[in-house]
C-alpha cells in the first residue's frame, strides 16, 4: 500500500451499504484514506432511508450517485470490501479483500437502516485501525 491507502466498497446497487461505508470512511478517515464505492448493478439514486439514517449522524450523502463497478476501480484500490456483490466483483491476486455480511437496506425503513448504519460504522472504525489511521470525529 502507498502512504495513503485506498479502499473500494462494493455492493449490488451502490445505493445503501457501500454509500454509507464510503461516507463513514471519508468522514472518520479525515482525508487519510482514498475512498471509492461502486455497484455491480447501480441503482438510479441513493436509498432515501440510508440518506436519512446518515443525516442523523451529521453526514450528508444526499448528493451522492450510485456508480458502476469497474475493473480499474478494483485495480486501483488496496482494499476491496464487498457487501453481497457475489461473483460479479473482479478478483485480482495480491489485493486485500474483505466480505462484510450486512443486511440489505433496500426497501427497509429508517429504523432498520439505523442498525445497518451502526454496524457499518463499527466495521469502518475497525478497518481504520487495521490501516493504521486514527479516526477523527
Amino acid at each position: 500500500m502507498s502512504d495513503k491507502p485506498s479502499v473500494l466498497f462494493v455492493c449490488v446497487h451502490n445505493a445503501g451499504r457501500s454509500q454509507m461505508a464510503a461516507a463513514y470512511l471519508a468522514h472518520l478517515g479525515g482525508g487519510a484514506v482514498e475512498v471509492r464505492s461502486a455497484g455491480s448493478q447501480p441503482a438510479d439514486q441513493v436509498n432515501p432511508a440510508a440518506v436519512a439514517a446518515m443525516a442523523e449522524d451529521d453526514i450528508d450523502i444526499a448528493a451522492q450517485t450510485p456508480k458502476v463497478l469497474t475493473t480499474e476501480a478494483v485495480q486501483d484500490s488496496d482494499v476491496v470490501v464487498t457487501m453481497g456483490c457475489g461473483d460479479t466483483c473482479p478478483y485480482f491476486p495480491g489485493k486485500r479483500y474483505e466480505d462484510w455480511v450486512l443486511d440489505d437496506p433496500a426497501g427497509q425503513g429508517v429504523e432498520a437502516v439505523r442498525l445497518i448504519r451502526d454496524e457499518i460504522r463499527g466495521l469502518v472504525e475497525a478497518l481504520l485501525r487495521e490501516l493504521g489511521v486514527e479516526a477523527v470525529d
Side-chain angles (χ1 to χ4, degrees):
M1 282 189 287
S2 66
D3 289 344
K4 186 173 184 176
S6 58
V7 177
L8 169 65
F9 294 102
V10 183
C11 66
V12 176
H13 299 295
N14 189 224
R17 295 167 290 190
S18 56
Q19 290 285 349
M20 290 188 288
Y24 270 129
L25 187 59
H27 178 76
L28 297 172
V33 180
E34 186 177 336
V35 183
R36 299 179 180 90
S37 71
S40 53
Q41 299 171 0
D44 294 333
Q45 66 179 16
V46 174
N47 181 333
V51 172
M54 292 301 288
E56 292 176 352
D57 212 5
D58 294 326
I59 298 175
D60 184 3
I61 63 170
Q64 296 300 316
T65 56
K67 296 168 236 19
V68 69
L69 176 64
T70 65
T71 301
E72 293 77 23
V74 177
Q75 287 175 319
D76 293 344
S77 299
D78 298 309
V79 180
V80 179
V81 178
T82 59
M83 305 172 191
C85 75
D87 295 335
T88 60
C89 189
Y91 179 81
F92 292 96
K95 293 277 175 209
R96 175 179 166 186
Y97 287 86
E98 289 190 20
D99 185 42
W100 292 357
V101 179
L102 299 159
D103 289 337
D104 188 347
Q108 307 231 30
V110 174
E111 300 78 25
V113 175
R114 278 187 197 114
L115 299 173
I116 299 165
R117 174 202 66 197
D118 293 346
E119 189 174 357
I120 288 171
R121 182 177 179 133
L123 290 165
V124 167
E125 289 170 342
L127 178 60
L128 281 167
R129 285 190 298 275
E130 291 169 12
L131 295 173
V133 176
E134 189 170 336
V136 297
D137 199 14

